[in-house]
């Protein structure tokens, strides 16, 4: 489905390739809301990847899943959502999967994602994928710091509440994950016409921008 010229097509494509600006209104940011969970995966004492789990807002879910109920049973199965999950995950590559990981202060590079999948929970589309590190890293006593955010704030990410927000798999004994929340509260919308917050302001932002980081939560993993 073509995306109107005034839409931020790259960021839209990164999530569905068919997102229409009209779905949530082209006059406000963010356009999509995501509740995130993250699992840091270890093998043989090394950090080897990050498993992202994203739950999308009901409005976006309803739009992006139109026509996917192929057997017309009124439910969306993981099989019916498999193509959407694979497409979304592949399209996120250009944007670094909105996921940044540093170990001991050094940013880590991700290889191609694996295991894309999607399911429905209540009225929310939930998408998961594994981001392997290009080079597994021995964390040692260095801190691993993970952030999931869109620099341009086209997509608003927030981490889930509770212990499931950040988990570890196969980590060395004694490692622990904590979530630090942003000091700046996310606005419900940034309406066009607010000082400095017009749609033109957001359209000028790029992946190198730092605007979205002010709303970013951070997962910190420390090991003894």
């Amino acid at each position: 489905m073509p995306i109107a010229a005034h839409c931020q097509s790259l960021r839209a494509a990164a999530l569905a390739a068919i997102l229409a600006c009209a779905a949530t209104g082209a006059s406000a940011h963010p356009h999509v809301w995501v509740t995130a969970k993250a699992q840091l995966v270890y093998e043989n004492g090394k950090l080897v990847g990050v498993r992202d789990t994203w739950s999308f807002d009901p409005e976006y879910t309803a739009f992006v899943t139109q026509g996917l109920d192929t057997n017309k049973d009124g439910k969306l199965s993981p099989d019916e959502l498999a193509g959407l999950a694979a497409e979304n995950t592949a399209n996120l590559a250009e944007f670094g999967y909105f996921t940044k990981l540093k170990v001991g202060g050094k940013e880590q590079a991700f290889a191609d994602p694996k295991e894309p999948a999607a399911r429905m929970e209540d009225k929310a589309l939930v998408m998961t994928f594994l981001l392997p590190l290009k080079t597994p890293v021995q964390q040692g006593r260095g801190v691993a710091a993970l952030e999931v955010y869109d620099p341009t704030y086209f997509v608003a990410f927030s981490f889930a509440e509770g212990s499931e927000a950040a988990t570890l798999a196969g980590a060395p004994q004694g490692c622990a994950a904590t979530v630090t929340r942003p000091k700046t509260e996310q606005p419900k919308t940034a309406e066009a016409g607010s000082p400095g917050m017009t749609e033109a302001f957001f359209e000028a932002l790029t992946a190198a921008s730092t605007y979205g980081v002010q709303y970013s939560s951070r997962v910190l993993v420390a090991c003894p």
Side-chain angles (χ1 to χ4, degrees), residues 31-185:
H31 289 273
V32 183
W33 298 82
V34 174
T35 301
K37 298 178 182 179
Q39 182 180 69
L40 281 78
V41 181
Y42 294 77
E43 290 180 4
N44 301 319
K46 291 185 177 182
L47 180 56
V48 298
V50 175
R51 187 180 301 279
D52 280 315
T53 300
W54 297 350
S55 178
F56 293 89
D57 65 81
E59 290 78 11
Y60 176 77
T61 294
F63 181 82
V64 80
T65 58
Q66 290 181 81
L68 298 184
D69 182 15
T70 54
N71 63 6
K72 308 300 182 183
D73 67 349
K75 302 177 182 179
L76 288 166
S77 69
D79 286 343
E80 290 171 320
L81 295 170
L84 177 64
E87 180 182 17
N88 279 0
T89 302
N91 285 337
L92 287 165
E94 185 175 352
F95 308 95
Y97 308 96
F98 298 132
T99 303
K100 294 185 180 295
L101 175 67
K102 292 183 178 180
V103 178
K106 183 179 180 180
E107 187 163 350
Q108 304 299 306
F110 295 114
D112 292 339
K114 297 180 178 179
E115 304 171 19
R119 64 184 184 275
M120 293 295 297
E121 290 185 0
D122 296 325
K123 295 182 179 181
L125 172 69
V126 179
M127 187 175 75
T128 69
F129 54 93
L130 174 66
L131 288 176
L133 294 184
K134 285 187 175 180
T135 304
V137 60
Q138 190 81 43
Q139 182 176 333
R141 293 186 177 180
V143 174
L146 175 73
E147 292 178 294
V148 180
Y149 69 95
D150 177 4
T152 68
Y153 205 50
F154 186 87
V155 184
F157 287 94
S158 60
F159 268 87
E161 299 294 334
S163 60
E164 292 185 355
T167 57
L168 307 177
Q173 187 174 3
C175 294
T178 58
V179 178
T180 61
R181 308 283 174 174
K183 295 181 180 180
T184 304
E185 184 178 354

Side-chain angles (χ1 to χ4, degrees), residues 182-217:
K183 295 181 180 180
T184 304
E185 184 178 354
Q186 291 192 5
K188 292 183 179 180
T189 60
E191 296 181 358
S194 299
M197 302 287 281
T198 65
E199 193 70 10
F201 166 81
F202 286 104
E203 287 179 353
L205 299 178
T206 69
S209 303
T210 59
Y211 182 83
V213 73
Q214 67 184 308
Y215 305 120
S216 172
S217 294

